[in-house]
Amino acid sequence: MASVTVRSSSHDYEVLIGKGLRRNLGEVISSGYTSILVITDSTVQDYYLQDVQESLAEAAPVFSAVVPAGESSKSMGRYEDLLDRCVELKLDRNSLIIALGGGMIGDLAGFVASTYLRGIDYIQMPTTILAHDSSVGGKVAINHPKGKNLIGSFYHPVKVIYDMETIETLPESEIRSGYGEVIKHAFLSDAEWAHRLLKGKLSELSVDQLENDLMRGIQVKASIVEKDEREAGIRKYLNLGHTLAHAIEAELGYGEITHGEAVAVGLLLMMKLSNDLKGAELPLQDYKEWLIRNHYPISVLNRIHPEQMVEKMKLDKKTLRQKINFVLLHELSDPYVVEIEENQLVEHMSLLMNEVSGE
Amino acid sequence: MASVTVRSSSHDYEVLIGKGLRRNLGEVISSGYTSILVITDSTVQDYYLQDVQESLAEAAPVFSAVVPAGESSKSMGRYEDLLDRCVELKLDRNSLIIALGGGMIGDLAGFVASTYLRGIDYIQMPTTILAHDSSVGGKVAINHPKGKNLIGSFYHPVKVIYDMETIETLPESEIRSGYGEVIKHAFLSDAEWAHRLLKGKLSELSVDQLENDLMRGIQVKASIVEKDEREAGIRKYLNLGHTLAHAIEAELGYGEITHGEAVAVGLLLMMKLSNDLKGAELPLQDYKEWLIRNHYPISVLNRIHPEQMVEKMKLDKKTLRQKINFVLLHELSDPYVVEIEENQLVEHMSLLMNEVSGE
Ligand SMILES: NC(=O)c1ccc[n+]([C@@H]2O[C@H](COP(=O)([O-])OP(=O)(O)OC[C@H]3O[C@@H](n4cnc5c(N)ncnc54)[C@H](O)[C@@H]3O)[C@@H](O)[C@H]2O)c1
Ligand SMILES: NC(=O)c1ccc[n+]([C@@H]2O[C@H](COP(=O)([O-])OP(=O)(O)OC[C@H]3O[C@@H](n4cnc5c(N)ncnc54)[C@H](O)[C@@H]3O)[C@@H](O)[C@H]2O)c1
Ligand SMILES: [Zn+2]
Ligand SMILES: [Zn+2]
């Protein structure tokens, strides 16, 4: 078992990573809670809810609440239902909520915990690779019909417990999705790590490699959010690849492509802009090959229109100007924010589309 | 114009008190907001919304949202409507929400501000006396059908702007309600101030006296919450008089008696217990006369049953034990928390009821 400590403005918390942690929760969760509510989704429930409940049985009375799997549960309606359940179960200030699932559950259950009785303790138990990103940093939220994550708080968990074994049941597309954020964290922090990743194949990943990658990803995320909890400055670097990703997700409709896959495609444009416009020498060719080798859906680039993408980006950034802020890299591990002209964006997106068409 | 600075874990903020401040908001609100949403209730709207909007006209585009007056607007439904309105108006991270009204509006609008885009700036503009209490300290919330303030956050305003002139339109019952919390703040902090208040009559209050009382009340509240923002310790003292108050409100149904009136009656029991059980010498007789002189509804004591009250108290405190925690006073300005046996409580409540019956 490995662990990292994350500092936040309200308290420090530990991230534990190891195999089988879900079966030993009694040992890693502080005692003294009056009751525990495990919030999970319908898919994760089938795999892991029973283990979690059993390993908590000695700690306190344990209840559960299950929402349908999928992004559409991150809604006002589910939020209200869950609050009703907290009230009905008479959870009090000394109760604990456990978010057992991917980023959807982490964001939803975390928002419930942040507002029930003005905030009670919660623990993140991520079960996806992507959730190595979402479980650290304290951003919790639900979606509004008009946009993602419009309603939420900054509210840190008291602990993050990452059971590596739960990753084993993850479908391929979710592994790809999670590695979109892993490779982002590598690009932001460490050229050597990035190069090692680019040589690999996700289907041949060992559990130890995975554990190592997640731990490092969490360290990168933690060290950035510790310095800028409320995204006034450098936390923006975490948006590497996300400007195009959000536009693609909005254009195709959520669900057509996973978030991390969209980020992975966004990182390709980031590299192109960094190299062609700003003279960097990022390993664009290696990265493209990695995407193809691992079946990332780069063909979406043939289904979008550069001008429409730019319009979506402006909407996302709420800007009326002709320039859009991008996070780019001088070189691997050296991010910066820069404004890019609309017409340059359209041009380089078109060039990129030509390069990948037929791949 | 007077001012107090309140320190919180996230930032310091100023409370400004003065006459006519609503007409000079452009001078006291920082510039640079992209837009401003004023949230108010249907009664306050008629009196003051136009003044506020006009005085902000130069600062930024100003919008408004009005909810029906009354506690029932502090609901999940109104909260959702207001979030929809924020989205519809495209409020962004640099927008400002102003809560113009009593404690109901402050709690509701503050909760909206705390969760829209994970928290945007808001200003409290209290228009009731009671709101001298609610506008400071960062507690924001909405009600759940099963209980008051069950859903909310700790989230401090960037400023509190208290226009004394707005108090002039307050109905008598709301003045009484507000002074229930004022006298609580006096009892908690300063014997001399308390004795001066007990000599007075609310209907003969001058604006200067009122301003002075509110300023001092805010200082008491601020100094306590600065030391214990999340109610781990001494913030509990602010519950002086509230154990019985909550039981009375729950018994009679909200709306039958105002919150501050219930607190004023609760303070009478607090005095009785402090004196009779713990040997204090609080001015119980003077206080009773003050209540009668100012038409506080002490006759509610003849409509309640001590045993039922104790049951409600146990429910409120979520205790299954035979003892209930009370805040009492050794002497004026010297609060402490103590457990009181159920049967002693019933006995002294009955004694008190006999003493006031016929008054
Ligand atoms: N808070 C943050 O900082 C942050 C950061 C990034 C993403 N997010 C949010 O995270 C969400 C995406 O996270 P996600 O990709 O984990 O989505 P998710 O939680 O919806 O999980 C993806 C799918 O995998 C299934 N699943 C989860 N664990 C499984 C397991 N162990 N075995 C088999 N199936 C499993 C889920 O049921 C779901 O169908 C989005 O809502 C996004 O906004 C938040
Ligand atoms: N957050 C806290 O720390 C805290 C502390 C105490 C109370 N509260 C909350 O505050 C609320 C009670 O506050 P309140 O008593 O101010 O209630 P309120 O806001 O409902 O106001 C009482 C009535 O007075 C009217 N009113 C307000 N200003 C007026 C004015 N200037 N002229 C004429 N009429 C006016 C309102 O329309 C309403 O009908 C409750 O919801 C309570 O839970 C919160
Ligand atoms: Zn992301
Ligand atoms: Zn009160």
Side-chain angles (χ1 to χ4, degrees), chain A residues 130 133 180-181 184 238-240 242 245-246 249 259-260 263:
Chain A
L130 190 125
D133 183 13
E181 300 279 9
K184 178 195 80 176
L238 295 172
N239 289 325
L240 193 76
H242 279 63
H246 289 156
E249 288 178 280
H259 174 66
V263 171

Side-chain angles (χ1 to χ4, degrees), chain A residues 7-224:
Chain A
R7 282 182 305 257
S8 86
S9 58
S10 56
H11 61 277
D12 293 358
Y13 54 99
E14 240 184 341
V15 181
L16 302 178
I17 304 199
K19 300 184 189 81
L21 290 176
R22 74 186 181 289
R23 298 193 203 274
N24 299 304
L25 294 175
E27 289 159 34
V28 291
I29 286 183
S30 4
S31 58
Y33 286 110
T34 49
S35 57
I36 300 174
L37 173 63
V38 184
I39 299 179
T40 192
D41 75 27
S42 48
T43 300
V44 178
Q45 169 189 35
D46 292 342
Y47 291 117
Y48 307 113
L49 179 59
Q50 198 181 342
D51 290 348
V52 167
Q53 284 184 307
E54 281 174 12
S55 89
L56 287 170
E58 312 264 286
V62 188
F63 307 100
S64 65
V66 181
V67 300
E71 185 69 17
S72 63
S73 282
K74 237 177 84 174
S75 68
M76 186 56 87
R78 295 294 166 193
Y79 167 67
E80 275 193 58
D81 291 348
L82 289 170
L83 287 171
D84 287 346
R85 184 122 174 94
C86 292
V87 173
E88 184 190 302
L89 294 169
K90 296 194 167 49
L91 299 200
D92 66 18
R93 290 204 173 78
N94 295 314
S95 296
L96 171 72
I97 286 178
I98 295 182
L100 175 68
M104 183 280 281
I105 283 293
D107 280 12
L108 172 66
F111 186 48
V112 171
S114 78
T115 54
Y116 180 65
L117 303 181
R118 297 199 183 88
I120 65 173
D121 282 0
Y122 80 112
I123 287 179
Q124 294 274 15
M125 283 194 66
T127 65
T128 65
I129 293 174
L130 190 125
H132 87 279
D133 183 13
S134 56
S135 61
V136 170
K139 281 188 175 180
V140 295
I142 55 175
N143 301 324
H144 184 275
K146 290 277 170 63
K148 277 196 71 174
N149 298 327
L150 292 187
I151 300 154
S153 323
F154 287 93
Y155 193 72
H156 294 274
V158 294
K159 202 161 249 169
V160 180
I161 301 175
Y162 215 153
D163 183 346
M164 283 301 100
E165 286 177 7
T166 64
I167 302 296
E168 287 167 22
T169 48
L170 217 53
E172 222 187 293
S173 61
E174 297 299 340
I175 294 175
R176 264 199 303 275
S177 179
Y179 262 86
E181 300 279 9
V182 171
I183 202 137
K184 178 195 80 176
H185 285 140
F187 286 174
L188 281 174
S189 65
D190 185 336
E192 210 177 310
W193 179 25
H195 284 299
R196 183 178 63 65
L197 285 175
L198 291 183
K199 290 201 192 87
K201 209 171 158 186
L202 295 181
S203 58
E204 290 163 5
L205 208 62
S206 73
V207 179
D208 286 343
Q209 267 176 299
L210 175 63
E211 183 170 326
N212 183 52
D213 287 339
L214 292 182
M215 186 54 100
R216 295 185 69 165
I218 287 170
Q219 279 163 337
V220 174
K221 172 101 185 227
S223 86
I224 290 180

Side-chain angles (χ1 to χ4, degrees), chain B residues 112-137:
Chain B
V112 171
S114 78
T115 54
Y116 180 66
L117 302 181
R118 297 198 184 87
I120 64 172
D121 282 1
Y122 80 113
I123 287 180
Q124 293 274 15
M125 283 195 65
T127 64
T128 65
I129 293 174
L130 190 124
H132 87 278
D133 183 14
S134 56
S135 61
V136 170

